[in-house]
Amino acid sequence: MGAFGLWAGLSTASHAAAPSGAAPSPTGPELVIEDNDFLGPGGSDQQSIIPLLFSPHVRVLGFTVVSGDGWENAESAHLRRFLEIIGRTDVPVADGAVYPLVNTVAALREHEHQFGTIPWKGAWGGLGAIDSTPDQQPPLPPLKEGMPHMRALTQSAAQFLIEQVHAHPHQVTIVAAGPLTNLALAIRLDPTFAETAKKLIFMGGMLDTSMMSVTGNADFASDFNMIFDPEAAHITLTAPWSSITVVGSVSNDLMMSRDYLSRITRKATPMTRYLAQYYEPLPMWDELTSAIAAEPSLVTSSVDAFMDIDLTHGPNYGHAYVWPEQLAPKKQGVRLVHIVRGVDATRFRDIFAQEAQSDITPAPARP
């Protein structure tokens, strides 16, 4: 048996008990791969795995890692260490793209000079100055939570995505909560990849960000996942998915507050201790995206529109645009997406809190 088949088989380990009132689907669990820029320790990126790993409705085939909020090597190491701490080393991790397809630090520096500061730059400086940002992935530093023993797969993220989707045709939901570089690479390597998946659910495509940056928190108004790799976002959004769900601005209103964290940490487990130690007061962007994949009924309202990404090198490079059908451009590939506009926030918090309190016996680390 190849490595993919081996780890896919291992990922069928039992999940936590269903939250109150939930019942597993009679047709079996949803098969999911999450692709993310797993900045860590803690924070929205890492916490997004909780609604997938501990839902009775989901079987996670693996996680794929892409540079974005942080550099890929550090993100992968933090994720694998987190999986060790919470006892889920049965789920494989595949390392992916280190750099965007076209965008560079030099290009971002010039863009900021011409059109103004982009508040969050992720691996390219976080909230700091672009002038001091490295343009190459630095060596992996020591991790404050300890170095992982679990290793990543030898396959690249794009190869893993392609192989798993073809192993389970029309059954795999792709949850993407970081830049879309890995998905774009999979699409370019295998033009049938998107149509062979079941659907795409992604965090990004925020709308009205200019006014949000003025009237709200500018750091939370940047559509970073699109801006970091606009070409990948365009390739991904114009691929022949059967369904695309966009979770964008709606997630800004759900905060991981101190009060909510206190509710989660009432039960002491390795996971809740980790969440408390590495707490970040951020919107629950990625957690909501993965929760919607596990519990689609959390969505209370949505709107359908055609969406694409601006690739012109002007002030809106990397920004998402939407049109109703009667105004949509006729260029090839622009397709209909489902934009989430409202969610049952109370139910989301209730389910996430219960899942975050899950406590399972750690599985042996994979060699």
Side-chain angles (χ1 to χ4, degrees):
M1 180 183 291
F4 286 116
L6 173 61
W7 300 131
L10 287 174
S11 66
T12 59
S14 61
H15 296 296
S20 177
S25 167
T27 59
E30 189 84 3
L31 303 182
V32 171
I33 299 171
E34 183 184 353
D35 182 80
N36 206 344
D37 49 346
F38 291 99
L39 182 67
S44 182
D45 299 321
Q46 281 203 351
Q47 289 160 190
S48 67
I49 73 175
I50 294 171
L52 301 177
L53 288 179
F54 299 101
S55 168
H57 309 307
V58 172
R59 173 187 161 201
V60 181
L61 297 175
F63 298 110
T64 53
V65 186
V66 62
S67 284
D69 284 335
W71 287 106
E72 184 273 337
N73 58 350
E75 293 170 344
S76 175
H78 285 299
L79 172 62
R80 285 178 280 122
R81 181 61 184 141
F82 186 36
L83 290 171
E84 289 176 350
I85 289 169
I86 67 175
R88 289 309 306 267
T89 57
D90 57 300
V91 182
V93 173
D95 293 345
V98 176
Y99 306 104
L101 299 182
V102 175
N103 201 14
T104 63
V105 169
L108 180 59
R109 183 181 292 114
E110 179 60 24
H111 186 280
E112 288 196 317
H113 178 72
Q114 293 187 55
F115 305 115
T117 300
I118 295 172
W120 175 250
K121 290 177 272 288
W124 292 345
L127 292 170
I130 191 70
D131 289 339
S132 62
T133 298
D135 59 2
Q136 294 186 337
Q137 178 166 262
L140 180 64
L143 306 187
K144 61 181 70 175
E145 69 272 36
M147 300 299 286
H149 299 285
M150 176 185 177
R151 296 178 182 177
L153 296 176
T154 57
Q155 288 83 1
S156 71
Q159 291 171 322
F160 179 79
L161 286 160
I162 291 167
E163 188 156 334
Q164 290 299 315
V165 162
H166 283 285
H168 310 279
H170 311 296
Q171 298 179 63
V172 180
T173 295
I174 307 297
V175 177
L180 299 175
T181 318
N182 287 336
L183 300 190
L185 290 170
I187 290 162
R188 284 293 187 255
L189 287 169
D190 175 11
T192 70
F193 166 73
E195 65 190 56
T196 308
K198 181 177 181 180
K199 57 187 173 182
L200 169 66
I201 301 175
F202 82 94
M203 195 281 140
M206 291 188 175
L207 306 174
D208 304 321
T209 54
S210 294
M211 185 56 68
M212 288 165 57
S213 68
V214 174
T215 60
N217 187 327
D219 298 341
F220 298 163
S222 174
D223 200 0
F224 174 77
N225 289 344
M226 308 294 100
I227 292 170
F228 190 77
D229 195 342
E231 286 75 18
H234 166 73
I235 290 169
T236 301
L237 284 177
T238 55
W241 306 91
S242 63
S243 173
I244 301 175
T245 297
V246 182
V247 184
S249 306
V250 67
S251 57
N252 273 324
D253 297 330
L254 286 165
M255 289 291 298
M256 175 61 80
S257 65
R258 279 285 182 191
D259 287 344
Y260 184 55
L261 178 68
S262 296
R263 172 182 171 186
I264 291 171
T265 55
R266 288 172 191 163
K267 180 178 179 181
T269 70
M271 181 153 55
T272 61
R273 286 191 290 270
Y274 180 95
L275 297 181
Q277 183 173 359
Y278 301 112
Y279 166 72
E280 294 282 351
L282 296 171
M284 300 178 73
W285 297 298
D286 297 1
E287 298 97 324
L288 180 62
T289 303
S290 57
I292 287 171
E295 298 277 352
S297 62
L298 289 172
V299 177
T300 58
S301 65
S302 63
V303 63
D304 289 347
F306 288 78
M307 176 178 282
D308 199 2
I309 303 299
D310 190 341
L311 298 185
T312 58
H313 289 275
N316 295 317
Y317 178 54
H319 287 224
Y321 280 89
V322 292
W323 304 267
E325 183 174 7
Q326 63 270 28
L327 301 180
K330 305 306 179 185
K331 60 183 179 178
Q332 184 177 5
V334 176
R335 57 196 315 102
L336 197 69
V337 301
H338 312 293
I339 303 171
V340 176
R341 301 284 287 169
V343 296
D344 187 336
T346 298
R347 184 163 168 252
F348 163 72
R349 290 190 181 96
D350 289 345
I351 293 173
F352 183 85
Q354 184 168 339
E355 290 169 339
Q357 293 174 338
S358 300
D359 187 15
I360 61 177
T361 302
R366 296 191 292 109

